[in-house]
Amino acid sequence: MPENPFIIRNMTRPELDIALDWAAAEGWNPGLYDADCFYAADCRGFLLGLLHGEPIATLSAVKYGAFGFLGFYIVKPAYRGLGFGLEIWQAGLDYLAGCTVGLDGVVEQQDNYRKSGFSLAYRNIRYAGFGGGDCPAEADLVELSALAWPQIEAYDLRHFPAARPAFLHRWFEQPESYACGMVRNHDLLGYGVLRKCRSGYKVGPLFADSPAIAEALFLTLKAKLNASEPIIMDVPECNAQAVALAERHAMYSVFETARMYKGVAPQLALSGVYGVTSFELG
């Protein structure tokens, strides 16, 4: 039997830059420092498909304990429709076998994801606008670095399906970013992160116990930018207060995805999710 010229293997850390460049070419606008953060989450969860040694397909299948998340599902345009995407897709699902699996899929692929056993949970809407404005005069607003890690991780776990400490440590400490939280009576009531992207800045995650807290955090992050700098936030459409926050600050819809799950969908308090961390890792 002739050797199969298409092979799938784990990416090295430098090869993850290929996936980010391809994502940028697709218009997904990844963060400038996403690669180190993503690789820290699960260094075995990034797959590269090579045809005769040429990279032609990517997929992330990041495992957070019993929860997994698929992203970076990209095949180079010249090789689409030839079955290579399906092969790397199946390799990712095999790695995540036994996990509940989530993804944020582009609209055109939803029917294909259903064939693999995924069900629609809700839509995420990408909103874009501009920075600037005044920072709220809130004594309870603090830089996230002032808080203890166990407190941050416990709050994050209320809004994400699994613990992700390795990822969070890198995410909060990446260059050209800012992270803040709302603390009252020593309790963390919300936090948000602003990070530099290929174009402008993204807010994510933005988790909060109330619309007022979410607004204060969002305005604090927005005020870090000048009025000409783009600001982007990915919002669960099922959280009406999150949609209202984005639209109240003159942000407009530019893109949408479908949050889908294979297995039992996580039971999360989506009323507290105002901004998704990332479409690639959940």
Side-chain angles (χ1 to χ4, degrees):
M1 293 290 290
E3 184 180 353
N4 186 351
F6 182 64
I7 64 168
I8 298 167
R9 61 166 173 78
N10 296 109
M11 292 183 192
T12 64
R13 162 57 192 86
E15 288 171 336
L16 183 49
D17 293 331
I18 295 172
L20 286 158
D21 287 341
W22 289 4
E26 294 290 327
W28 299 349
N29 192 23
L32 290 185
Y33 307 101
D34 283 358
D36 285 339
C37 305
F38 288 175
Y39 207 68
D42 179 6
C43 64
R44 298 178 58 210
F46 297 89
L47 304 180
L48 185 66
L50 302 104
L51 184 64
H52 299 295
E54 176 192 355
I56 67 161
T58 62
L59 182 78
S60 61
V62 170
K63 189 180 292 186
Y64 305 96
F67 178 70
F69 205 86
L70 294 169
F72 287 116
Y73 183 31
I74 306 172
V75 177
K76 288 181 74 173
Y79 299 96
R80 292 174 184 173
L82 302 176
F84 300 118
L86 185 58
E87 283 194 51
I88 199 168
W89 172 261
Q90 189 57 54
L93 287 179
D94 289 346
Y95 176 64
L96 297 177
C99 297
T100 291
V101 183
L103 60 81
D104 281 315
V106 295
V107 173
E108 309 87 75
Q109 289 289 339
Q110 287 181 51
D111 286 342
N112 287 331
Y113 299 143
R114 288 190 181 94
K115 293 174 184 175
S116 293
F118 286 81
S119 299
L120 178 66
Y122 53 87
R123 294 196 308 162
N124 287 311
I125 310 297
R126 174 161 293 175
Y127 280 92
F130 291 94
D134 297 324
C135 184
E138 288 269 5
D140 299 325
L141 283 166
V142 300
E143 291 192 16
L144 215 58
S145 59
L147 303 180
W149 277 109
Q151 185 178 28
I152 298 168
E153 291 168 6
Y155 189 82
D156 187 77
L157 191 53
R158 290 169 49 189
H159 302 89
F160 190 78
R164 47 179 181 171
F167 168 79
L168 289 179
H169 280 248
R170 290 293 189 110
W171 197 250
F172 296 152
E173 296 173 355
Q174 62 183 292
E176 298 189 76
S177 68
Y178 180 76
C180 62
M182 178 76 77
V183 178
R184 290 177 184 155
N185 298 320
H186 306 292
D187 292 328
L188 181 59
L189 305 180
Y191 80 82
V193 180
L194 181 76
R195 82 188 196 279
K196 176 70 172 171
C197 293
R198 302 285 179 104
S199 173
Y201 290 76
K202 284 183 185 172
V203 173
L206 178 60
F207 300 150
D209 284 5
S210 73
I213 292 170
E215 178 126 25
L217 292 167
F218 176 77
L219 291 177
T220 300
L221 299 174
K222 186 172 178 286
K224 294 293 177 181
L225 308 178
N226 64 49
S228 65
E229 291 179 299
I231 187 170
I232 298 152
M233 187 163 66
D234 299 325
V235 174
E237 186 189 38
C238 57
N239 184 347
Q241 294 288 354
V243 171
L245 171 64
E247 295 181 350
R248 187 162 58 247
H249 294 287
M251 300 181 82
Y252 54 93
S253 172
V254 296
F255 184 70
E256 70 175 70
T257 67
R259 172 61 62 92
M260 306 180 78
Y261 291 109
K262 180 181 174 71
V264 179
Q267 297 301 304
L268 299 172
L270 290 171
S271 60
V273 178
Y274 290 78
V276 176
T277 306
S278 83
F279 283 159
E280 292 77 26
L281 263 70

